[in-house]
Amino acid sequence: MHAAVIRTAINTDIPTLANLFRLATNAMIARGIGQWNYTYPLESHIRPDVQKGSCFVMESENRDLVATISLDFMQDAQYRKVGWNTYALRPMVVHRLAVHPGYQGRGYGRQMMLFAEERARQAGVSVIRLDAFSLNPVSLAMYHSLGYRRAAGYCYFHGISFPFYCFDKKIG
């Protein structure tokens, strides 16, 4: 056995990650949270992140992939219309944070966000941005508890009629 570790995802992780996203989507839909659907996220969304080294995974003590996050500098075009709390020329952006349903409630999502913040600091980045589905109370509470502030504006993704709230945090 080894301690839980966060590492850069590799190509052989892609099928496991795709399954993790399917399971997370199933769990959200079962709870009435229509954040993701079966057209997003897919392997085709994961593969580019893995290939450019921006996808990270958390392995449990028994080497199961329990969580994932992608971090890069790519901002959706809708972000231009958002009134961010903190100006940043080049913020780091969080994408596709997910925790395997069998491991939820253990603080792994929080650990992945703290990893993202540390990674941003190491890269000399002072601001992190993200969006979170407005009807996902667990993720909204987590971001608030970590000090992320809701920005003025919304985004709409994946043909979903409910908004995604935008958040940022000054970390530098």
Side-chain angles (χ1 to χ4, degrees), residues 84-145:
W84 298 102
N85 297 302
T86 305
Y87 172 78
L89 188 58
R90 194 166 184 242
M92 187 162 277
V93 182
V94 170
H95 308 277
R96 290 178 289 285
L97 171 62
V99 177
H100 187 290
Y103 291 87
Q104 291 177 357
R106 300 182 194 183
Y108 292 137
R110 182 180 197 83
Q111 288 179 43
M112 294 301 279
M113 286 304 299
L114 294 173
F115 166 82
E117 292 177 16
E118 184 56 32
R119 185 131 178 119
R121 279 187 202 92
Q122 290 172 359
V125 174
S126 62
V127 174
I128 292 184
R129 290 182 179 166
L130 59 92
D131 54 75
F133 189 53
S134 60
L135 300 180
N136 188 332
V138 173
S139 65
L140 296 175
M142 179 187 67
Y143 295 130
H144 282 294
S145 75

Side-chain angles (χ1 to χ4, degrees), residues 38 44 88 101 110 128 154:
Y38 300 106
S44 60
R110 182 180 197 83
I128 292 184
Y154 305 90

Side-chain angles (χ1 to χ4, degrees), residues 9-167:
I10 57 175
N11 283 331
T12 55
D13 293 327
I14 293 172
T16 304
L17 287 168
N19 187 55
L20 186 154
F21 282 118
R22 272 190 301 280
L23 293 171
T25 298
N26 290 344
M28 284 190 284
I29 290 171
R31 290 191 308 262
I33 300 170
Q35 175 175 332
W36 288 336
N37 54 45
Y38 300 106
T39 63
Y40 180 90
L42 301 172
E43 215 173 279
S44 60
H45 301 107
I46 304 163
R47 187 172 303 284
D49 291 346
V50 171
Q51 291 174 342
K52 64 184 178 182
S54 63
C55 180
F56 302 90
V57 296
M58 177 184 282
E59 278 186 350
S60 69
E61 295 81 9
N62 61 358
R63 299 189 187 271
D64 289 337
L65 292 188
V66 299
T68 184
I69 193 169
S70 290
L71 306 167
D72 62 26
F73 298 98
M74 303 298 295
Q75 298 184 77
D76 189 273
Q78 295 178 72
Y79 277 26
R80 283 182 248 156
K81 297 178 182 177
V82 173
W84 298 102
N85 297 302
T86 305
Y87 172 78
L89 188 58
R90 194 166 184 242
M92 187 162 277
V93 182
V94 170
H95 308 277
R96 290 178 289 285
L97 171 62
V99 177
H100 187 290
Y103 291 87
Q104 291 177 357
R106 300 182 194 183
Y108 292 137
R110 182 180 197 83
Q111 288 179 43
M112 294 301 279
M113 286 304 299
L114 294 173
F115 166 82
E117 292 177 16
E118 184 56 32
R119 185 131 178 119
R121 279 187 202 92
Q122 290 172 359
V125 174
S126 62
V127 174
I128 292 184
R129 290 182 179 166
L130 59 92
D131 54 75
F133 189 53
S134 60
L135 300 180
N136 188 332
V138 173
S139 65
L140 296 175
M142 179 187 67
Y143 295 130
H144 282 294
S145 75
L146 288 168
Y148 286 81
R149 295 186 307 156
R150 193 166 145 205
Y154 305 90
C155 294
Y156 291 89
F157 298 110
H158 327 299
I160 298 169
S161 59
F162 293 98
F164 285 69
Y165 296 152
C166 297
F167 292 89

